[in-house]
Amino acid sequence: MSLDDAVAAVAELIGDRSSGGRAHVVGLSLGGYVATDLAARHPGLVPSALVSGVNVLPFPRPGLMRVAGRLMSPFMTTTPLLRANARALGVPTEDFDGYAAAARAMAPGTFTRVGADLVDY
């Protein structure tokens, strides 16, 4: 699933299930990109959005960032990197096991695909 696919799916969900066909949205990290894009593409659906962890300026050296993402991808579900990311995101210690299980459930290649979408954002 691409960022475009996620935005379309959330827009459909809001239109189908929300009261009045509108929703206030909140997004962190990847969810922040979805919320930002959703608000930009479908302003009638999103009266407000709260986002965090989103870079709206072009990334420096996007080619280098893509290579770094491909090199890091095999290690993204290792415990040391998951712990570092969880600390950076403020995941409470008691929630780490669930966070790690969700990260490890990602299909192979997902990290690289998501990274490519975000580098081009």
Side-chain angles (χ1 to χ4, degrees):
M1 177 180 274
S2 68
L3 179 62
D4 290 342
D5 294 335
V7 169
V10 174
E12 183 177 335
L13 185 68
I14 290 171
D16 291 348
R17 297 192 184 174
S18 68
S19 176
R22 294 166 43 111
H24 302 280
V25 295
V26 176
L28 170 65
S29 192
L30 180 56
Y33 285 94
V34 173
T36 299
D37 227 41
L38 180 67
R41 292 182 190 196
H42 304 281
L45 295 178
V46 182
S48 67
L50 175 66
V51 299
S52 181
V54 174
N55 183 17
V56 295
L57 298 175
F59 281 98
R61 301 186 188 127
L64 181 60
M65 292 192 72
R66 281 188 196 84
V67 170
R70 283 193 294 277
L71 292 172
M72 289 175 54
S73 182
F75 306 102
M76 289 309 296
T77 57
T78 63
T79 300
L81 281 178
L82 287 173
R83 285 204 188 282
N85 199 37
R87 272 193 307 274
L89 293 172
V91 174
T93 304
E94 63 272 15
D95 294 334
F96 176 76
D97 289 340
Y99 170 79
R104 289 181 175 128
M106 276 192 303
T110 298
F111 175 78
T112 304
R113 284 192 305 278
V114 168
D117 267 357
L118 300 186
V119 166
D120 292 333
Y121 191 78

